[in-house]
């Protein structure tokens, strides 16, 4: 498809489990961003890739969060030893340049029980 | 203090009126400014972007930027009930040589018939 694709759309995990969220950006977009959005809040920045390079990971809340984009296309956000406070919608966005408008995927709604 | 500030609302306007949404930001080096609309349970979708001081019009939408006052606004003319949504302001803030689109918490707009 032509848009940003995220999978899974919904993920339920037990506290302590590891999860992996996938993002397939628009073809040719070098910039890829991950955001976390809690209910009633705006998206909070997690991390930014330019091609395969992770240029900014200052928004990752703890060392349990890890992101990669090994070939400069698909990205995976991994959360280890999940906690209840990790429950949120995780949004992926891509753009042709970090200063250009972003295109968002539908998000992954993560629920930690 | 958050780097991008928006009044959370809700802002309630009658159908046909002009809705005015406001946003302030802290980083004088910001280059790009975006407005996204987000319906409940959906991901953000781009409405407008603006890079230069002044007004930019697109259909019923006008974005206004004042870099000296660090202020960006969105006007929606002839508001329709279908415009009821949360409006997110995003500003590209400088971070280690990159620009990171940073979001406000969003303003909830209700257009009543």
């Amino acid at each position: 498809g032509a848009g940003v694709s995220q999978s899974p759309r919904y993920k339920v995990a037990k506290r302590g489990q590891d999860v992996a969220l996938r993002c397939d950006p628009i073809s040719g977009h070098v910039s890829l961003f991950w955001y976390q959005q809690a209910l009633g809040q705006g998206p909070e920045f997690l991390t930014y890739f330019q091609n395969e390079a992770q240029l900014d990971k200052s928004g990752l809340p703890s060392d349990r969060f890890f992101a990669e984009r090994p070939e400069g296309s698909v990205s995976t956000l991994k959360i280890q030893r999940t906690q209840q406070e990790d429950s949120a919608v995780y949004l992926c966005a891509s753009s042709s340049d970090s200063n250009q408008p972003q295109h968002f995927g539908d998000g992954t709604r993560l629920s930690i029980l | 203090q958050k780097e991008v500030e928006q009044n959370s609302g809700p802002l309630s306007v009658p159908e046909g009126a002009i809705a005015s949404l406001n946003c302030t930001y802290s980083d004088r080096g910001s280059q790009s400014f975006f407005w996204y609309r987000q319906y409940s349970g959906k991901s953000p979708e781009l409405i407008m972007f603006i890079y230069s001081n002044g007004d930019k019009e697109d259909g019923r939408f006008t974005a206004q930027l004042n870099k000296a006052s660090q202020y960006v606004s969105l006007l929606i003319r002839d508001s329709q009930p279908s415009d009821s949504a949360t409006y997110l302001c995003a500003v590209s803030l400088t971070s280690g040589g990159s620009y990171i689109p940073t979001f406000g918490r969003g303003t909830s707009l209700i257009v009543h018939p």
Side-chain angles (χ1 to χ4, degrees), chain A residues 35 37 44 56 98-99 102 105, chain B residues 2 32 36 38 43 95 101:
Chain A
Y35 292 88
Q37 188 173 25
E44 292 283 343
D56 193 322
S98 65
N99 238 349
Q102 296 173 307
Chain B
K2 243 181 113 58
S32 307
Y36 291 84
Q38 187 173 30
S43 61
S95 176

Side-chain angles (χ1 to χ4, degrees), chain A residues 56-102:
Chain A
D56 193 322
K57 56 181 180 179
S58 62
L60 296 176
S62 77
D63 59 7
R64 297 186 296 104
F65 286 71
F66 172 77
E68 60 183 3
R69 193 187 185 195
E71 297 179 358
S73 178
V74 171
S75 177
T76 303
L77 176 67
K78 297 178 180 178
I79 309 173
Q80 297 176 324
R81 304 181 304 281
T82 53
Q83 303 294 315
Q84 283 191 322
E85 61 263 28
D86 300 334
S87 297
V89 175
Y90 290 84
L91 294 167
C92 176
S94 72
S95 60
S96 56
D97 179 88
S98 65
N99 238 349
Q100 296 298 315
Q102 296 173 307

Side-chain angles (χ1 to χ4, degrees), chain B residues 54-74:
Chain B
D55 294 1
K56 180 181 178 183
E57 186 175 319
D58 183 0
R60 296 187 296 114
F61 300 98
T62 299
Q64 299 176 316
L65 175 61
N66 184 325
K67 288 188 177 180
S69 300
Q70 293 173 248
Y71 175 95
V72 57
S73 65
L74 178 71

